[in-house]
Amino acid sequence: LEDGFWYKKGYAAFRDDIKVFLALAKKHDIKVKFVLFDYLAVTEGNFGMTKAETDTLVRDFVVPFLKEFGSSADSAIRTVELMNEPEWILNPNEVPGGVGSKIRNRAPVGKADYLYFVEQLSRAIRQHGSKELKVTIGASVHKHQVVTDPAVRPFVDYYAFHYYPYMGPLEGWLARLPNDKPFALEEYPTGARPQYASLVQTPAQYTAIAARYGALSAMAWQWHSIQW
């Protein structure tokens, strides 16, 4: 839902694709983390994250989606991520280069609207989804407060952190994170720009570091040809 397309076309525009995807996942015993939103839906799409828009999202997309695909204990979906990297909608002027240069001059989303979004989507998932569903938010580890904020913590089951070399040494961040919930290292890089080359490690090394600090899992990520 990266570009907010659902907001124009509605749930029906995605239903068939979701149905096929989840049927394949179930057939091959693949467990799915379903990411509802990317920050680009707000910054480059047509979703403003006002309270009225959040209410419409919950009513017209989240609830129908959960009732059809997330309410059964044998659903392939095991986690629902409310949003990928919401830190950039709260602080658009801080988005890293090459990722969202178009958004830097946009007005930030207010914290009250963000908290309302988190609470309403999380409550809908817990009300209409299966008991097995976990809720999280994907956040850059150096901006972890968007998910570790005391106002957000009650609405997630675990923390999902993303790391890239421009953020500084990974171990330094993992050592200072709150330990009140489990966490996963859900993005680490497969490459980096020359100025960060000394900080890049192998997948085995990233996995070992994450394990040392008690991570549930560690997953590599490389978007197109961007080098971090």
Side-chain angles (χ1 to χ4, degrees), residues 72-93:
S72 172
D74 66 349
S75 170
I77 302 173
R78 283 294 175 266
T79 298
V80 177
E81 183 174 301
L82 306 183
M83 175 170 267
N84 174 58
E85 300 186 355
E87 57 269 26
W88 309 131
I89 67 171
L90 298 171
N91 301 284
N93 289 330

Side-chain angles (χ1 to χ4, degrees), residues 4-14:
F5 181 76
W6 71 269
Y7 205 62
K8 294 179 180 178
K9 297 295 185 180
Y11 173 66
F14 291 92

Side-chain angles (χ1 to χ4, degrees), residues 87-129:
E87 57 269 26
W88 309 131
I89 67 171
L90 298 171
N91 301 284
N93 289 330
E94 298 178 10
V95 67
V99 176
S101 58
K102 297 178 183 178
I103 77 172
R104 290 198 184 95
N105 295 320
R106 293 183 66 98
V109 168
K111 185 175 179 180
D113 285 337
Y114 169 66
L115 293 177
Y116 185 81
F117 171 90
V118 169
E119 179 176 353
Q120 296 307 307
L121 267 68
S122 180
R123 289 190 185 280
I125 293 165
R126 288 169 174 170
Q127 179 180 350
H128 298 284

Side-chain angles (χ1 to χ4, degrees), residues 141-142 163-173 196 199 201 206:
V141 71
H142 70 316
Y163 169 77
Y164 294 95
Y166 77 90
M167 301 172 187
L170 174 59
E171 291 187 81
W173 287 109
Y196 303 120
L199 294 173
Q201 303 192 59
Y206 281 124

Side-chain angles (χ1 to χ4, degrees), residues 130-201:
S130 72
K131 293 180 180 179
E132 287 75 16
L133 277 185
K134 303 300 182 184
V135 178
T136 192
I137 296 170
S140 300
V141 71
H142 70 316
K143 302 288 185 182
H144 65 84
Q145 294 85 356
V146 296
V147 65
T148 61
D149 185 308
V152 176
R153 293 185 194 187
F155 302 107
V156 298
D157 297 302
Y158 74 95
Y159 302 133
F161 296 125
H162 304 168
Y163 169 77
Y164 294 95
Y166 77 90
M167 301 172 187
L170 174 59
E171 291 187 81
W173 287 109
L174 295 184
R176 69 185 78 165
L177 292 172
N179 60 4
D180 60 308
K181 292 182 184 290
F183 82 93
L185 181 61
E186 294 202 343
E187 289 186 20
Y188 66 78
T190 57
R193 296 188 178 113
Q195 63 266 42
Y196 303 120
S198 64
L199 294 173
V200 176
Q201 303 192 59

